[in-house]
Amino acid sequence: EAGVVQSPRYKIIEKKQPVAFWCNPISGHNTLYWYLQNLGQGPELLIRYENEEAVDDSQLPKDRFSAERLKGVDSTLKIQPAELGDSAVYLCASSPKYGTKNTGELFFGEGSRLTVL
Amino acid sequence: AQKVTQAQTEISVVEKEDVTLDCVYETRDTTYYLFWYKQPPRGELVFLIRRNSFDEQNEISGRYSWNFQKSTSSFNFTITASQVVDSAVYFCALRDNNNAGNMLTFGGGTRLMVKP
């Protein structure tokens, strides 16, 4: 079974440029998460989707960050314009629908490492 | 509010030594779940274990064991006879029953380096 796929793995841009990250979750997983992982820290939730609905985006900096999950499958996270402080790893994760037989385990992708110069 | 603290930012051991990674959590809920994830160098987070707050039995899986102490709000992880392949960053995480979804709060992680 294919895992969570993210692209690009690495991205280097200059500040004020836009950037987008793409995530393809595990087939059949209703819930999709975007996490931000700064160097030497644990992941922090940015946004969670249940199917195509963003059910928790309280931690997403909405002035420059946006996300979408059209058709409830793939998702895109965009930053425009990027700032120096946005340099981090952006992790995507998915899980089966909450309340079903899922164990609470999140399945993570390898992440997209962003460097803003 | 929930919080997870991993006080050890970095641990270095020599192969075959036993090592314990500490995790202390805070939550107001009586029902919650604790997790450990492993993040190898340049790799994705890999699920290791989940425990719920009603099950305080310790668990052993091969060289891995977990000690859940509700009285001290701790969920420590021990690797016996460590190997170089155990080198990674390990994250403890918490999900409480207030979460409408499956959101995890992660600790800051402990970087384990196992030297040959």
Side-chain angles (χ1 to χ4, degrees):
Chain A
E1 178 183 289
V4 176
V5 179
Q6 291 187 245
S7 69
R9 287 292 313 277
Y10 305 93
K11 188 73 176 179
I12 301 174
I13 60 172
E14 293 188 348
K15 62 181 181 182
K16 301 185 181 179
Q17 294 299 305
V19 63
F21 305 112
W22 173 82
C23 173
N24 178 240
I26 291 174
S27 177
H29 281 190
N30 302 80
T31 310
L32 183 146
Y33 314 76
W34 283 102
Y35 277 85
L36 164 69
Q37 185 176 21
N38 285 306
L39 186 65
Q41 298 182 25
E44 299 171 23
L45 182 72
L46 287 173
I47 189 169
R48 174 173 67 93
Y49 282 92
E50 292 291 344
N51 298 306
E52 65 273 9
E53 182 183 359
V55 296
D56 187 344
D57 62 356
S58 57
Q59 302 302 313
L60 191 72
K62 298 181 183 61
D63 56 336
R64 297 183 299 106
F65 286 65
S66 65
E68 60 183 12
R69 191 184 184 197
L70 300 176
K71 300 181 181 179
V73 182
D74 296 356
S75 177
T76 303
L77 177 69
K78 298 178 182 178
I79 308 174
Q80 183 171 10
E83 296 179 353
L84 294 176
D86 296 332
S87 296
V89 176
Y90 293 84
L91 296 167
C92 180
S94 69
S95 67
K97 183 177 179 181
Y98 182 77
T100 58
K101 292 183 180 179
N102 81 77
T103 61
E105 175 185 356
L106 268 61
F107 297 80
F108 284 85
E110 292 182 309
S112 295
R113 182 178 296 275
L114 173 66
T115 302
V116 182
L117 303 175
Chain B
Q2 51 185 6
K3 183 179 178 182
V4 177
T5 302
Q6 294 179 253
Q8 306 148 308
T9 55
E10 200 168 288
I11 300 176
S12 181
V13 299
V14 176
E15 207 171 18
K16 298 184 183 177
E17 286 184 4
D18 299 347
V19 58
T20 295
L21 311 181
D22 298 334
C23 173
V24 174
Y25 61 90
E26 295 176 29
T27 177
R28 294 177 183 172
D29 211 337
T30 55
T31 302
Y32 51 88
Y33 303 86
L34 295 162
F35 301 78
W36 275 94
Y37 279 80
K38 174 182 180 180
Q39 188 175 38
R42 302 176 184 173
E44 69 268 33
L45 283 96
V46 176
F47 168 83
L48 295 178
I49 190 172
R50 176 190 102 144
R51 300 298 276 174
N52 72 56
S53 52
F54 297 110
D55 183 1
E56 288 195 66
Q57 275 193 335
N58 292 331
E59 181 157 339
I60 298 175
S61 175
R63 295 184 299 106
Y64 295 173
S65 62
W66 291 270
N67 184 347
F68 178 27
Q69 296 283 341
K70 216 169 179 179
S71 59
T72 56
S73 297
S74 65
F75 185 44
N76 296 337
F77 172 31
T78 297
I79 302 175
T80 303
S82 59
Q83 301 176 1
V84 173
V85 293
D86 295 328
S87 297
V89 180
Y90 291 86
F91 291 97
C92 181
L94 166 71
R95 187 189 93 203
D96 68 24
N97 218 35
N98 287 324
N99 276 326
N102 207 16
M103 295 179 294
L104 300 181
T105 297
F106 285 86
T110 297
R111 180 179 299 278
L112 174 64
M113 292 177 291
V114 182
K115 300 177 181 177

